Amino acid sequence: MTGAAFVNTETLARFPRVGVVYGGQSAEREVALGSGRTVIRALQEAGYQVAEHDVTGRPELISWLQTTGLDLVFPVLHGRGGEDGTLQGLLEWLGIPYVGSGVLASALAMDKLRSKWVFGASQIATPPFAVVRSAEECTALASQLEYPVMVKPVHEGSSIGMSRVEDASGLSEACALAFQFDTEVMIEQFVVGKEYTVAVIGDQALPVIGLQPASGFYDYNAKYIADDTHYALPSGLSDAKEAEVKALSVKAFQALGCQGWGRVDLMMDSAGQPFVLEVNTIPGMTDHSLVPKASVAHGWPLPELMHRILATVPEQRA
């Protein structure tokens, strides 16, 4: 059964009281507040009792987790402290079941450099890259690169601290911005082509979404603020190419050991070769976000999506 009437009585019985932790203290706090509100509403509409906690400090969070009497935690903390394995480790230690990827997979997916290493070992196509750890290393590399490139903090999400650089003259400034957020900075070959994203629920890929911001690249403004970003849903790909992109996305998700739900971002060059950029283990759930769009297009209203995500929580974790 699909549609608004879908109810998973098994997950309702396993997890009648769900705690949503959202907000947080990372650079992605504002996004996580919006995502959390979406998840809270969807869980309530799906029939779950929901307790919510806006994370503003660790002692308060630990006290809340220990005293609220939760059957399950649904983390909606984007970025450091929530998406990088830290929260997942705390929940493991407290013995509280939770939605999504475990400690190792969360840490790997949040780390753009080390996830690239896994992609390479798994024969998953990803753009060439270099890593710098100082302004001097950035300057020394400038004349050796093929432009354009993307400059990214290794451990941030939501395109925070990210820049597209067209030539060597702009590299130092872009690295300086990225170093404001991280001690490791990735310089990645920009793939000239189209950008796509794929939501993964369990081992199933939802419809591919094509992304076309009005200008520049799919940055923070295009993701969460601007209303002129174009979303191609259906993607416009042939059936065979859509299936290829979906399969590649699931392969990347599983290569990092991810579980539950997530989103895989890709670029496709002019020859039709897809390249995986990264895997997001706690994707955005705001009114601009892509997982809700893909879910509805697939025939799953958000309450049904909640049922299906909760159904992925392994028995041993529960």
Side-chain angles (χ1 to χ4, degrees):
M1 176 187 292
T2 59
F6 179 91
V7 174
N8 189 322
T9 55
E10 182 179 345
T11 57
L12 279 170
R14 288 175 71 197
F15 311 120
R17 185 166 172 80
V18 179
V20 176
V21 292
Y22 66 117
Q25 299 172 290
S26 79
E28 299 180 68
R29 172 175 170 78
E30 291 304 313
V31 179
L33 287 171
S35 293
R37 288 189 285 267
T38 298
V39 170
I40 289 165
R41 287 194 301 270
L43 284 168
Q44 289 171 336
E45 291 173 12
Y48 297 92
Q49 301 174 44
V50 179
E52 59 183 89
H53 183 76
D54 175 3
V55 179
T56 57
R58 293 178 184 177
E60 296 83 359
L61 172 61
I62 293 170
S63 175
W64 183 81
L65 289 170
Q66 290 177 316
T67 60
T68 305
L70 302 170
D71 299 300
L72 181 76
V73 167
F74 197 128
V76 196
L77 291 171
H78 306 311
R80 299 187 192 193
E83 198 171 355
D84 60 1
T86 304
L87 174 62
Q88 291 74 16
L90 171 62
L91 293 169
E92 296 272 2
W93 185 67
L94 292 175
I96 302 175
Y98 58 92
V99 168
S101 295
V103 176
L104 177 59
S106 298
L108 266 178
M110 191 69 194
D111 189 314
K112 294 180 176 65
L113 170 60
R114 285 144 192 98
S115 63
K116 286 266 200 180
W117 292 346
V118 174
F119 295 152
S122 303
Q123 298 184 321
I124 294 170
T126 189
F129 66 96
V131 173
V132 295
R133 297 176 174 86
S134 69
E136 291 75 18
E137 289 184 3
C138 177
T139 300
L141 196 61
S143 62
Q144 303 174 39
L145 299 173
E146 181 180 342
Y147 294 89
V149 297
M150 295 299 299
V151 177
K152 311 175 179 182
V154 167
H155 301 95
E156 287 290 349
S158 291
S159 301
I160 289 171
M162 186 184 298
S163 306
R164 174 173 166 165
V165 179
E166 301 297 332
D167 54 52
S169 65
L171 190 65
S172 292
E173 182 180 353
C175 285
L177 172 63
F179 277 128
Q180 293 179 22
F181 299 93
D182 208 333
T183 57
E184 292 184 308
V185 169
M186 176 178 291
I187 303 173
E188 182 180 68
Q189 182 68 52
F190 182 78
V191 177
V192 178
K194 295 183 178 180
E195 185 166 0
Y196 297 92
T197 193
V198 181
V200 178
I201 309 299
D203 59 1
Q204 179 177 0
L206 299 189
V208 179
I209 302 177
L211 308 172
Q212 186 177 348
S215 60
F217 64 97
Y218 193 54
D219 60 6
Y220 186 97
N221 182 74
K223 288 179 178 178
Y224 302 113
I225 300 171
D227 292 320
D228 54 3
T229 300
H230 176 68
Y231 301 98
L233 184 59
S235 65
L237 298 171
S238 68
D239 291 346
K241 185 60 69 173
E242 173 113 357
E244 178 188 346
V245 171
K246 285 183 174 182
L248 179 62
S249 299
V250 172
K251 183 178 180 180
F253 186 78
Q254 294 177 341
L256 299 183
C258 297
Q259 294 178 307
W261 74 306
R263 197 190 74 238
V264 181
D265 297 334
L266 313 94
M267 293 292 296
M268 186 178 296
D269 67 15
S270 57
Q273 169 68 53
F275 295 86
V276 172
L277 299 178
E278 62 182 355
V279 176
N280 302 271
T281 55
I282 304 181
M285 289 290 288
T286 70
D287 56 4
H288 278 58
S289 295
L290 302 167
V291 173
K293 294 179 189 296
S295 180
V296 172
H298 187 62
W300 296 350
L302 293 190
E304 178 171 351
L305 177 63
M306 296 298 104
H307 283 301
R308 293 188 181 274
I309 291 175
L310 266 59
T312 67
V313 177
E315 292 290 342
Q316 62 269 28
R317 188 181 290 174

